[in-house]
Amino acid sequence: MSLAAEPAATVAEQRLAARILLRRHEADLGDAAAGVLRTVQQYSERAHAEDRRPGDLFRAWLAAMRAEQFEVGKRLADELQQQHPDSAEWRFVDVARGGARALGVAGVEACRDGLDDLPAEYSAMLAGAQLEAGLLPAAVATADAGLARAPGLVVVRRIAAVAYHSCVLGSPSGGADRGDWVRRRDAQLDWLERQPGLADSQRAKLREMREVR
């Protein structure tokens, strides 16, 4: 990793470092997360400027979105569409932005085709589509898998909270099952509320969910 930070680092070294750092970010890195994402974006944009591989621009986009730099993410997504419109990376971004929403679960599942390094965001997208389709057990299983891989991603924690909240609502009041789902949901709400930059509107939604016992 230290080689990638050297002035003489090659594109290949920085590309590998960006891939490793993105996977590390999926763990809960706390205060170090923002710096890691900045580094990933810098390395990836430099690599793309050198040899125009769509995967580099894709990783830069992922880093920007994880950092909630949404204007930067839009710019990178637009560049990916313009420069690599037939790439698997653009198809994934298009689905993530809602381009295949009408296709439901099948549309989300198809967006993984051609990607050799599937990001953890996929599990959140799939769980969301499963919830919309009324496939609650499948959505819970997908959310569980997402949490096991990427407990440091806001989108993963958020969709898990929604899936578990749906189970709370679907369980008899006062029952043991309901209490278990409340605890699982609240663990996600606790984590989300600790994140910096949480908007008041988002905090209000989390409180509204927590009030359901």
Side-chain angles (χ1 to χ4, degrees):
M1 295 296 294
S2 59
L3 289 175
E6 296 294 330
T10 67
V11 165
E13 288 167 343
Q14 292 195 333
R15 178 178 292 118
L16 177 60
R19 295 181 72 157
I20 292 171
L21 288 171
L22 266 184
R23 287 303 296 264
R24 286 185 181 175
H25 176 261
E26 293 175 2
D28 195 349
L29 296 182
D31 293 341
V36 165
L37 293 175
R38 282 194 299 272
T39 300
V40 170
Q41 187 181 332
Q42 290 168 359
Y43 285 174
S44 298
E45 290 203 75
R46 288 172 188 165
H48 184 261
E50 182 72 21
D51 55 17
R52 300 294 174 180
R53 294 187 187 182
D56 294 318
L57 206 53
F58 181 56
R59 279 183 285 276
W61 173 80
L62 281 170
M65 296 304 292
R66 290 182 182 185
E68 299 189 348
Q69 300 293 322
F70 299 123
E71 287 301 316
V72 175
K74 182 181 184 304
R75 171 181 64 79
L76 293 166
D78 290 345
E79 289 181 21
L80 189 59
Q81 181 182 20
Q82 293 161 8
Q83 299 182 36
H84 308 285
D86 298 323
S87 66
E89 289 82 1
W90 164 245
R91 288 194 297 273
F92 185 97
V93 172
D94 187 36
V95 172
R97 298 171 85 187
R101 185 170 299 161
L103 300 179
V105 173
V108 174
E109 290 177 334
C111 83
R112 66 180 296 161
D113 295 345
L115 290 176
D116 60 358
D117 191 16
L118 192 67
E121 282 81 353
Y122 172 77
S123 66
M125 292 159 55
L126 181 58
Q130 290 166 333
L131 283 172
E132 288 185 7
L135 304 173
L136 183 55
V140 169
T142 302
D144 287 346
L147 279 174
R149 170 178 166 175
L153 292 193
V154 170
V155 292
V156 168
R157 292 280 190 164
R158 186 178 294 140
I159 198 65
V162 172
Y164 301 158
H165 184 67
S166 297
C167 292
V168 172
L169 295 174
S171 301
S173 180
D177 285 349
R178 188 174 179 117
D180 288 342
W181 288 119
V182 166
R183 283 189 289 274
R184 292 181 68 180
R185 178 205 64 195
D186 285 359
Q188 313 315 313
L189 299 181
D190 291 343
W191 188 92
L192 288 166
E193 288 178 342
R194 291 195 299 269
Q195 301 315 297
L198 185 67
D200 290 343
S201 59
Q202 294 172 320
R203 197 175 297 279
K205 289 179 180 178
L206 299 182
R207 285 199 303 268
E208 185 177 323
M209 292 173 67
R210 194 186 292 274
E211 288 171 359
V212 179
R213 314 304 293 176

